[in-house]
Amino acid sequence: MSVTTRDIEDLVDAGRLTDAAHELAQMAPQEAASVLDGLDTRRGTIAFRLLPKDDAVAVFDDMSSNTQARLVETLGTSEVAEAFDNLDPDDRAELLDELPATVAKRLVRNLSDAERESTAVVLGYGRNSVGRRMSPEFVHVYGDDSVEVALTRVIARGHDAETIYTIPVVDHERRLLGVVSLRDLLLSDPAAPVEDHRRTPVYSLATAAAEVAARRCVDLSLPAMPVVDSEDRLVGMLTLDDAADVVAAARDEDAARAGAHEMLKTPYLQSSVFTITRARVVWLFVLAVSAILTVNVLEVFEGTLEQKVALALFIPLLTGIGGNTGSQAATTVTRALAMDEVRARDVARVAAKEARVGVTMGAALGLVGFAVASIAYDTEIGVVIGTTIVSICVVAATVGGIMPLVAKTIRVDPAVFSTPFISTFCDATGLLIYFTIAKTVLGI
């Protein structure tokens, strides 16, 4: 039976530290790191101190950057100096982003010159760029090397590299020429030139968005992706595990924002009431604005409702269809943006496609709405409901599809911008369309 975070928490609270240390020592570093990620700062600090020195370094490496930062601030830089030095440069840069500037400077000051230099390379790129998530510690070979020379180079320098399974091939000015797999080198004639085994690389610019590069790496199942600067010189490698972490973090963030809140950086029970409130309240303000606009629209058409009370019964149905249609379109296009399948300049093509999708969906739903409303009330009400559904689907799908592109153009996160806008727009606009059609068809 596996030991859980709650088990370690109970042992620490009961003062059974020897038992807690024994349980932690039986875990793989990844398991222990996951357990410590779930503990609050006090218990996590105690549990970390129970780990043997060598295990502590490995466990620290596998913790989330937020947990690492809490431990650094609680324990002090001297107690985590070795663990910090053991981190890969990209993981080290992520941790430094979480720390106060004075603490970060003390940690960096204690690094060796080589580690400080490699960390500086990563920190030199934007926080959301692939350069910030790459490893500058890699081994490369030259195109005019023989396989034997290349393997000798890999053996000599590979222990410092984060990955050696995909090896970049460069010229003598470090410009990327291609990649070669370690398997090909091991199974080839030692006298053959590396050039014979070189493949066209899938690579990324260091300044490109980390999420875009990471999704490409994961979708193509690349063990590692070379990262180059603006002059095609090799500057690092994005490994598959780092790419998977980027994609998972982006997915969690988008899921949180789709649910109208920001993602919590700490486990729920460790998050303060203020932190949870701050993560939710901004979105509630946005939704409140949407509700106010909806009320204003209802007030404008109050007389219409008084003459045909049955119209009020369909309001939740129509606003729900509009909101869901817009959100579906926004989610699809946001995903396409992340995969680099569409760009901001494709706004007209996206709008045209989503409009056609809206017509198709609206026709199917509208027929059902027409039939149900006609049977329950009368044909005129059926015509109003059916026509409104078609119109709302077209408008919501079109607007939902172009909003991520607009967000991209003005340099705003599409997930942040699209969700509240669509909620506000579809509710208010959907009611305007509904009552306009109702007044026209019913003559009221």
Side-chain angles (χ1 to χ4, degrees):
M1 181 177 177
S2 60
V3 177
T4 66
T5 297
R6 182 56 61 87
D7 293 331
I8 299 298
E9 186 177 280
D10 290 343
L11 290 173
V12 171
D13 287 346
R16 297 168 57 190
L17 301 186
T18 302
D19 292 338
H22 175 74
E23 295 293 351
L24 289 168
Q26 303 306 308
M27 298 181 190
Q30 298 90 334
E31 292 178 309
S34 178
V35 167
L36 267 65
D37 279 339
L39 295 172
D40 62 24
T41 301
R42 183 186 67 83
R43 295 184 181 99
T45 302
I46 294 171
F48 184 75
R49 280 180 165 149
L50 296 175
L51 293 166
K53 185 176 180 181
D54 291 342
D55 291 350
V57 171
V59 170
F60 189 87
D61 191 10
D62 286 316
M63 288 176 181
S64 70
S65 58
N66 183 267
T67 304
Q68 291 172 343
R70 288 189 284 124
L71 282 177
V72 170
E73 293 189 69
T74 304
L75 293 172
T77 56
S78 60
E79 291 190 65
V80 295
E82 184 177 350
F84 181 73
D85 187 70
N86 190 64
L87 293 175
D88 292 321
D90 53 319
D91 296 327
R92 198 180 292 134
E94 187 176 2
L95 171 56
L96 291 173
D97 285 335
E98 299 282 346
L99 293 170
T102 53
V103 177
K105 287 178 181 177
R106 283 201 302 272
L107 281 171
V108 171
R109 197 181 302 126
N110 292 329
L111 290 173
S112 65
D113 291 342
E115 292 295 343
R116 191 183 304 119
E117 183 179 345
S118 62
T119 303
V121 170
V122 177
L123 289 171
Y125 293 100
R127 192 164 185 174
N128 295 318
S129 69
V130 68
R132 198 58 165 266
R133 300 310 300 263
M134 71 181 184
S135 172
E137 297 177 333
F138 56 87
V139 58
H140 63 272
V141 297
Y142 297 102
D144 54 6
D145 281 344
S146 67
V147 168
E148 183 178 14
V149 170
L151 280 173
T152 301
R153 185 182 182 86
V154 172
I155 292 169
R157 304 189 179 191
H159 64 281
D160 291 327
E162 188 168 345
T163 179
I164 59 171
Y165 301 109
T166 295
I167 303 168
V169 181
V170 300
D171 63 18
H172 288 278
E173 294 183 359
R174 219 176 71 241
R175 283 192 294 263
L176 182 66
L177 300 176
V179 294
V180 63
S181 73
L182 180 61
R183 175 189 174 87
D184 287 342
L185 292 182
L186 289 171
L187 299 179
S188 299
D189 179 3
V194 169
E195 183 67 25
D196 289 353
H197 303 283
R198 175 173 65 87
R199 299 193 304 272
T200 301
V202 177
Y203 65 95
S204 173
L205 279 173
T207 53
E211 184 180 349
V212 173
R215 287 189 186 279
R216 194 177 183 198
C217 184
V218 170
D219 288 346
L220 296 177
S221 299
L222 302 174
M225 176 188 286
V227 180
V228 301
D229 63 14
S230 59
E231 297 180 353
D232 289 335
R233 287 193 297 262
L234 185 68
V235 293
M237 297 288 285
L238 176 67
T239 59
L240 181 59
D241 58 336
D242 286 337
D245 288 343
V246 171
V247 171
R251 182 181 62 244
D252 291 344
E253 184 178 65
D254 290 346
R257 288 171 174 171
H261 65 89
E262 291 295 318
M263 189 172 64
L264 297 174
K265 291 187 176 182
T266 54
Y268 173 76
L269 291 177
Q270 295 179 30
S271 301
S272 68
V273 171
F274 175 76
T275 299
I276 297 174
T277 301
R278 185 175 58 185
R280 299 178 183 177
V281 72
V282 174
W283 296 86
L284 292 178
F285 278 128
V286 172
L287 296 176
V289 171
S290 172
I292 291 170
L293 290 174
T294 302
V295 170
N296 288 339
V297 172
L298 289 173
E299 186 177 0
V300 170
F301 291 100
E302 186 177 359
T304 305
L305 283 173
E306 288 178 351
Q307 295 181 58
K308 204 71 173 179
V309 177
L311 294 175
L313 302 176
F314 292 94
I315 290 176
L317 168 69
L318 299 175
T319 54
I321 287 176
N324 288 331
T325 301
S327 296
Q328 287 175 339
T331 300
T332 302
V333 176
T334 298
R335 165 72 176 173
L337 271 173
M339 296 299 298
D340 207 25
E341 296 172 354
V342 298
R343 299 185 180 181
R345 65 171 179 262
D346 297 321
V347 61
R349 295 173 62 190
V350 170
K353 174 163 284 190
E354 287 298 334
R356 295 196 299 272
V357 172
V359 169
T360 305
M361 292 194 306
L365 294 172
L367 283 173
V368 175
F370 168 77
V372 171
S374 297
I375 293 171
Y377 295 94
D378 55 52
T379 304
E380 286 187 328
I381 292 291
V383 171
V384 170
I385 299 304
T387 306
T388 300
I389 289 176
V390 174
S391 302
I392 286 177
C393 283
V394 172
V395 172
T398 304
V399 172
I402 65 175
M403 274 307 101
L405 303 179
V406 172
K408 191 76 172 179
T409 301
I410 62 177
R411 300 181 183 278
V412 176
D413 186 341
V416 176
F417 184 77
S418 302
T419 300
F421 185 89
I422 289 170
S423 297
T424 302
F425 180 87
C426 291
D427 285 354
T429 306
L431 290 177
L432 284 172
I433 292 172
Y434 179 37
F435 287 118
T436 300
I437 291 174
K439 291 184 70 173
T440 302
V441 173
L442 301 177
I444 54 178

